Short mmCIF file of all heavy atoms in Angstrom, two decimals:
data_model
loop_
_atom_site.label_atom_id
_atom_site.label_comp_id
_atom_site.label_asym_id
_atom_site.label_seq_id
_atom_site.Cartn_x
_atom_site.Cartn_y
_atom_site.Cartn_z
N ILE L 635 20.66 19.83 5.66
CA ILE L 635 19.95 21.10 5.81
C ILE L 635 18.58 21.01 5.13
O ILE L 635 17.58 21.52 5.66
CB ILE L 635 20.77 22.26 5.20
CG1 ILE L 635 22.08 22.46 6.00
CG2 ILE L 635 19.97 23.56 5.18
CD1 ILE L 635 23.04 23.45 5.37
N ASP L 650 -0.86 23.34 15.48
CA ASP L 650 -0.68 23.25 16.93
C ASP L 650 0.77 22.87 17.24
O ASP L 650 1.05 21.75 17.67
CB ASP L 650 -1.66 22.21 17.49
CG ASP L 650 -1.70 22.19 19.01
OD1 ASP L 650 -1.07 23.06 19.63
OD2 ASP L 650 -2.35 21.29 19.57
N VAL L 676 21.83 -1.65 1.01
CA VAL L 676 22.06 -3.05 1.41
C VAL L 676 21.82 -3.96 0.21
O VAL L 676 20.77 -3.88 -0.43
CB VAL L 676 21.13 -3.44 2.58
CG1 VAL L 676 21.27 -4.91 2.90
CG2 VAL L 676 21.43 -2.58 3.80
N ALA L 686 11.20 -7.12 -7.22
CA ALA L 686 9.83 -6.59 -7.16
C ALA L 686 9.55 -5.71 -8.37
O ALA L 686 8.45 -5.76 -8.95
CB ALA L 686 9.63 -5.78 -5.88
N VAL L 690 6.55 -6.48 -10.95
CA VAL L 690 5.48 -5.51 -11.19
C VAL L 690 5.47 -5.10 -12.66
O VAL L 690 4.40 -4.98 -13.28
CB VAL L 690 5.66 -4.27 -10.29
CG1 VAL L 690 4.64 -3.18 -10.67
CG2 VAL L 690 5.49 -4.65 -8.83
N PHE L 703 -5.19 -5.76 -28.61
CA PHE L 703 -6.40 -6.37 -29.15
C PHE L 703 -7.45 -5.31 -29.50
O PHE L 703 -8.10 -5.38 -30.54
CB PHE L 703 -6.98 -7.35 -28.13
CG PHE L 703 -8.25 -8.03 -28.58
CD1 PHE L 703 -8.20 -9.09 -29.47
CD2 PHE L 703 -9.49 -7.58 -28.14
CE1 PHE L 703 -9.38 -9.71 -29.90
CE2 PHE L 703 -10.66 -8.17 -28.56
CZ PHE L 703 -10.60 -9.25 -29.45
N ALA L 712 5.78 2.56 -31.81
CA ALA L 712 6.72 2.49 -32.94
C ALA L 712 5.99 2.44 -34.27
O ALA L 712 6.62 2.49 -35.34
CB ALA L 712 7.61 1.26 -32.79
N ILE L 721 -3.72 6.33 -25.09
CA ILE L 721 -3.72 4.88 -25.28
C ILE L 721 -2.45 4.26 -24.72
O ILE L 721 -2.49 3.34 -23.89
CB ILE L 721 -3.88 4.52 -26.76
CG1 ILE L 721 -5.24 5.00 -27.29
CG2 ILE L 721 -3.75 3.00 -26.96
CD1 ILE L 721 -5.42 4.78 -28.78
N GLY L 759 2.90 4.42 17.13
CA GLY L 759 1.95 4.78 18.18
C GLY L 759 0.68 5.39 17.64
O GLY L 759 0.03 6.20 18.31
N THR L 815 5.82 4.52 -15.80
CA THR L 815 6.91 3.78 -16.45
C THR L 815 6.87 3.97 -17.96
O THR L 815 7.91 3.96 -18.61
CB THR L 815 6.85 2.28 -16.10
OG1 THR L 815 5.57 1.75 -16.47
CG2 THR L 815 7.08 2.05 -14.62
N GLU L 850 -11.21 7.13 19.73
CA GLU L 850 -12.19 6.10 20.06
C GLU L 850 -11.58 4.74 19.74
O GLU L 850 -11.27 4.44 18.58
CB GLU L 850 -13.48 6.30 19.26
CG GLU L 850 -14.59 5.36 19.69
CD GLU L 850 -15.91 5.69 19.01
OE1 GLU L 850 -16.07 6.84 18.54
OE2 GLU L 850 -16.77 4.80 18.94
N ALA L 851 -11.39 3.94 20.74
CA ALA L 851 -10.74 2.64 20.57
C ALA L 851 -11.61 1.70 19.74
O ALA L 851 -12.82 1.61 19.93
CB ALA L 851 -10.44 2.02 21.93
N MET L 857 -11.66 -4.75 7.84
CA MET L 857 -11.60 -3.99 6.59
C MET L 857 -12.62 -4.51 5.59
O MET L 857 -12.81 -5.72 5.45
CB MET L 857 -10.19 -4.06 6.01
CG MET L 857 -9.19 -3.23 6.78
SD MET L 857 -7.54 -3.26 6.06
CE MET L 857 -7.03 -4.91 6.49
N LEU L 942 2.88 20.47 -9.15
CA LEU L 942 1.93 21.13 -8.25
C LEU L 942 0.78 21.78 -9.03
O LEU L 942 -0.39 21.61 -8.68
CB LEU L 942 2.65 22.19 -7.42
CG LEU L 942 1.76 23.10 -6.56
CD1 LEU L 942 1.00 22.29 -5.52
CD2 LEU L 942 2.59 24.18 -5.88
N LEU L 972 8.87 13.77 -7.20
CA LEU L 972 7.67 14.03 -7.99
C LEU L 972 6.54 13.04 -7.71
O LEU L 972 5.42 13.22 -8.21
CB LEU L 972 8.00 13.99 -9.49
CG LEU L 972 9.04 14.99 -9.99
CD1 LEU L 972 9.30 14.79 -11.47
CD2 LEU L 972 8.60 16.42 -9.71
N VAL L 1003 -7.94 19.99 3.73
CA VAL L 1003 -7.40 19.45 2.48
C VAL L 1003 -6.26 20.28 1.89
O VAL L 1003 -5.30 19.71 1.37
CB VAL L 1003 -8.53 19.25 1.45
CG1 VAL L 1003 -9.06 20.60 0.94
CG2 VAL L 1003 -8.06 18.39 0.30
N MET L 1019 15.02 13.81 -0.15
CA MET L 1019 16.19 14.31 0.59
C MET L 1019 16.88 13.17 1.34
O MET L 1019 18.12 13.08 1.35
CB MET L 1019 15.73 15.37 1.61
CG MET L 1019 15.13 16.63 1.01
SD MET L 1019 16.38 17.73 0.33
CE MET L 1019 15.35 19.15 -0.09
N THR L 1025 22.47 7.99 -0.69
CA THR L 1025 23.24 7.62 -1.87
C THR L 1025 24.63 8.24 -1.91
O THR L 1025 25.45 7.85 -2.75
CB THR L 1025 22.48 8.05 -3.15
OG1 THR L 1025 22.20 9.45 -3.09
CG2 THR L 1025 21.17 7.28 -3.30
#
Side-chain angles (χ1 to χ4, degrees):
I635 295 172
D650 188 7
V676 175
V690 173
F703 179 79
I721 297 175
T815 56
E850 187 173 339
M857 287 182 287
L942 172 62
L972 300 178
V1003 71
M1019 296 284 186
T1025 56

